[in-house]
Amino acid sequence: DSDGSMVSTGNAISIQIRAKPSPVLLQDTLYPRKGAASDSQTVQVTAQYLSPSLTLSAFQISMGTLAWGLLSLSLSNTACTDSLCAMHMLTFLLPPSPDGPDLSRDTGLNVSVNGQLLGTLTYSYVSASTPTLVSVSPSQMTTSSTGASAVTVFTQNFPSGGCYAVSCQGDIGAMRVLFGSSSLMWSAADTGKLLAVTFTPAQTSA
C-alpha cells in the first residue's frame, strides 16, 4: 500500500509516492514483562499500523506448540479509518509456564495476524520458589518521620521457597535488618503466601 501527493509547477508535474509503514508490535508497551511461573497472567501490548477493521478472530498468540486467541482488542482512536492512525491494544491470557512452577526462564510469544507473524515478544517466567521482594509500605517517608514511623516489607518465598505452607516466620530467627550501619529491631508475621517484616528506620537528618 502507498499514499502519494502530486504537485504542479508550471508545465511540470511532480508525483511523490510513499509506502505505508508495515504493522509493528511496540515491544516497550508489553505489560507486565514477567510473572510467576505458576500463575496465569493477563498481558497487554500495543500494535501500530494495523487495519482498523481487524477483529479478534484475526489474532493468534503462540508459545511453542501452545496457541490461543485474544481476550480483547481495542482501537485507541475509534475515529481512525486508516492504518496510518491505528493503534491497537491487544489483551490476552498467558498460561502458567509449561516447564512447571519452579523454573525461571524467558519465553518467546509469537503474535500473528491472519496467519502472518506480526512480531515476537519476550516474557519472563519467574520461579514460584524464588525469594522475591513484593512491596514496601510506605514506599517513602520524610526524614522527620524516621525513628517514629514503621516500615513493612512484604516478601515471598523468603527465607525459603514454599515456606508459607508451614511458616516462613519460624525460619528467620538469625535475620538482621540494617539501616545503613545500624541494626534494627524487627517483627515478622505470616500473611497468606507473604511474610511481613516490620521495623522502624533509625532517625536521620536531611
Side-chain angles (χ1 to χ4, degrees), residues 136-162:
V136 179
S137 179
S139 59
Q140 60 183 6
M141 65 171 55
T142 62
T143 54
S144 60
S145 298
T146 57
S149 298
V151 173
T152 300
V153 175
F154 294 91
T155 66
Q156 188 170 11
N157 295 314
F158 176 80
S160 59

Side-chain angles (χ1 to χ4, degrees), residues 25-64:
L25 275 178
L26 303 181
Q27 304 277 345
D28 291 344
T29 65
L30 179 66
Y31 179 83
R33 297 176 180 276
K34 63 181 179 180
S38 58
D39 298 339
S40 297
Q41 178 70 59
T42 300
V43 178
Q44 294 182 325
V45 69
T46 299
Q48 191 172 16
Y49 304 132
L50 289 169
S51 169
S53 63
L54 286 171
T55 62
L56 278 175
S57 61
F59 292 83
Q60 184 183 72
I61 314 297
S62 61
M63 176 178 60

